[in-house]
C-alpha cells in the first residue's frame, strides 16, 4: 500500500498547505482534536514568522473577518463594505456606531503588541484589572486556556462575545509566544459553539482553531502573492511619497486616497495607477469616497 505523500511545494505555496491528515481527519475524543489543533497551530506559528507574509496586513484582514462574524452573532447585517466605511469615512467628532465599534475593537486588538494596556484600548468598557483576571483564568495548554477565557467572560457577561473572543485570542498569543493577537477563534466558532461549556467547549475550540488556521493560511498565501506583486511594481511609481504610500497598502486592509502622504490629486492618480498595474483593488464600487486595498 502506497503512503500518501505531500506534494512537492516551494516558496509561497507552502504557506497555505496543511496536510490532509490535519484537515480531513475525523477526530472525536478531546485528545484527538487537541492533537490536530496543535499540528495546525504549529504550522501557523511558522507562517507568522515568515518575512514574505505581510503580517500587519494579515492581522487587519483577519480583524475584519472577525468583526463580520461577531456582528452576525448578534443578527446585525453589516459586512466588510459597511465596516470599512464606518471607520474610514468617519470625520473628526463622528461616532462609528455599534458595528463600527466592533470593528474598531478588533483593529485595535491587533495593531499593538499584546498587553493589558493594549487590550484595554481595544475594550475600553472593560477595566484593566478585569482583563488581567480573565486572561489568568484557568490552566492548561494554549487552546484549553483560550476556551477557559471564553467561558469565564461569558459566564459573567453573557452577551460579551467580542470581549470573550478577543481575550481568548490574546491568551492563545501569550501562550504561544506571539507578539500580537491573531484573530482566529471568531473565524472558526459558531454562535451555537459559544453556548457550550466545559469539555464540549474545549473540543469545539480545538476544531475551531483547525478551521481558522486553514482559512488564515490561505489568506496569508494570497496576501503574500499580492504583496510580492506590489513590491515588484513599486519601482514603476514616480510620485514623491509613493514609497510611503506602498508601505501603507502593505500594512492596512483598506486605504482612502486622502490618507496617503500625497496631495489629493496625486493620491488619486497613484491609486488609479496601482489599479492599472494590478497591485491594488478598489473596494467600494463607488465613484467617490473610494477605498483601495491590496
Amino acid at each position: 500500500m502506497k503512503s500518501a505523500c505531500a506534494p512537492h511545494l516551494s516558496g509561497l505555496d507552502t504557506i497555505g498547505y496543511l496536510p490532509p491528515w490535519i484537515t480531513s481527519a475525523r477526530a472525536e475524543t478531546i485528545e484527538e482534536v487537541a492533537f490536530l489543533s496543535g499540528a495546525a497551530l504549529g504550522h501557523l506559528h511558522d507562517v507568522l514568522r515568515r518575512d514574505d507574509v505581510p503580517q500587519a496586513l494579515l492581522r487587519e484582514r483577519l480583524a475584519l473577518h472577525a468583526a463580520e462574524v461577531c456582528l452576525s452573532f448578534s443578527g446585525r447585517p453589516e459586512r466588510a463594505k459597511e465596516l470599512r466605511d464606518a471607520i474610514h469615512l468617519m470625520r473628526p467628532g463622528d461616532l462609528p456606531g455599534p458595528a463600527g465599534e466592533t470593528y474598531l475593537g478588533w483593529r485595535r486588538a491587533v495593531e499593538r503588541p499584546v498587553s493589558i494596556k493594549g487590550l484595554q484600548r481595544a475594550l475600553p468598557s472593560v477595566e484593566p484589572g478585569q482583563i488581567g483576571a480573565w486572561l489568568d483564568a484557568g490552566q492548561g495548554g494554549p487552546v484549553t486556556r483560550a476556551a477557559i477565557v471564553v467561558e469565564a467572560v461569558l459566564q459573567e457577561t453573557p452577551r460579551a462575545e467580542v470581549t470573550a473572543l478577543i481575550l481568548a485570542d490574546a491568551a492563545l498569543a501569550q501562550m504561544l509566544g506571539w507578539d500580537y493577537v491573531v484573530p482566529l477563534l471568531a473565524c472558526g466558532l459558531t454562535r451555537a459553539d459559544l453556548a457550550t461549556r466545559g469539555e464540549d467547549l474545549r473540543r469545539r475550540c480545538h476544531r475551531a482553531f483547525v478551521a481558522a488556521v486553514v482559512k488564515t493560511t490561505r489568506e496569508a498565501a494570497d496576501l503574500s502573492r499580492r504583496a510580492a506583486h506590489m513590491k515588484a511594481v513599486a519601482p514603476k511609481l514616480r510620485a514623491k511619497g509613493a514609497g510611503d504610500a506602498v508601505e501603507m497598502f502593505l500594512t492596512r486592509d483598506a486605504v482612502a486616497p486622502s490618507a496617503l502622504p500625497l496631495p489629493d490629486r496625486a493620491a488619486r492618480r497613484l491609486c488609479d495607477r496601482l489599479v492599472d498595474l494590478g497591485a491594488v483593488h478598489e473596494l467600494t464600487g463607488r465613484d467617490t469616497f473610494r477605498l483601495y486595498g491590496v
Side-chain angles (χ1 to χ4, degrees):
M1 179 177 177
K2 289 185 178 181
S3 60
C5 296
H8 178 70
L9 300 173
S10 61
L12 296 179
D13 291 332
T14 62
I15 296 174
Y17 177 77
L18 272 76
W21 63 264
I22 296 178
T23 58
S24 303
R26 297 188 53 158
E28 297 297 335
T29 69
I30 191 74
E31 292 79 13
E32 290 171 337
V33 293
F35 176 76
L36 295 178
S37 70
L41 288 168
H43 176 75
L44 180 60
H45 182 79
D46 291 337
V47 169
L48 297 179
R49 296 170 63 188
R50 293 181 60 139
D51 293 335
D52 53 356
V53 175
Q55 304 290 347
L57 175 57
L58 175 63
R59 293 195 305 273
E60 279 227 346
R61 191 61 55 83
L62 295 175
L64 177 65
H65 296 332
E68 288 182 292
V69 172
C70 288
L71 290 168
S72 72
F73 289 161
S74 58
R76 296 191 65 90
E78 292 90 349
R79 293 299 178 263
K81 182 178 179 180
E82 292 80 15
L83 293 177
R84 286 173 173 140
D85 282 354
I87 298 302
H88 293 284
L89 300 185
M90 276 198 310
R91 294 173 295 183
D94 284 352
L95 296 176
E101 286 284 2
T102 296
Y103 181 30
L104 197 58
W106 277 106
R107 289 187 73 208
R108 287 174 173 171
V110 305
E111 66 186 11
R112 296 184 181 184
V114 182
S115 68
I116 298 295
K117 183 177 180 180
L119 291 169
Q120 207 274 326
R121 182 171 176 268
L123 303 167
S125 63
V126 184
E127 293 296 325
Q130 182 64 80
I131 291 174
W134 278 330
L135 286 177
D136 291 338
Q139 296 180 348
V143 177
T144 297
R145 287 284 298 278
I148 290 172
V149 170
V150 169
E151 186 166 353
V153 173
L154 294 181
Q155 278 183 341
E156 293 190 42
T157 51
R159 293 189 175 184
E161 291 93 350
V162 175
T163 298
L165 293 167
I166 286 177
L167 293 183
D169 281 329
L172 183 86
Q174 288 181 326
M175 291 288 289
L176 294 177
W178 297 348
D179 292 334
Y180 293 87
V181 171
V182 180
L184 294 174
L185 203 51
C187 299
L189 285 178
T190 66
R191 189 175 185 182
D193 293 333
L194 291 174
T196 62
R197 296 291 182 264
E199 183 174 303
D200 192 13
L201 176 59
R202 292 197 296 276
R203 182 183 292 105
R204 293 179 188 228
C205 284
H206 282 295
R207 288 176 175 155
F209 277 119
V210 174
V213 169
V214 171
K215 296 174 186 176
T216 297
T217 52
R218 288 174 181 169
E219 185 82 62
D222 181 56
L223 291 177
S224 297
R225 294 186 185 95
R226 293 174 183 271
H229 181 60
M230 170 69 88
K231 293 174 182 177
V233 305
K236 299 179 181 180
L237 306 174
R238 303 301 181 192
K240 185 178 180 180
D244 291 336
V246 166
E247 183 61 25
M248 290 178 67
F249 282 113
L250 290 175
T251 55
R252 301 187 185 184
D253 165 69
V255 179
S258 59
L260 295 174
L262 291 87
D264 186 58
R265 183 175 296 180
R268 292 198 302 272
R269 284 201 303 265
L270 176 66
C271 291
D272 290 340
R273 176 67 171 148
L274 288 170
V275 170
D276 291 340
L277 291 169
V280 302
H281 302 274
E282 203 286 311
L283 302 172
T284 68
R286 296 189 295 252
D287 293 329
T288 58
F289 300 107
R290 290 180 161 187
L291 299 173
Y292 297 82
V294 169

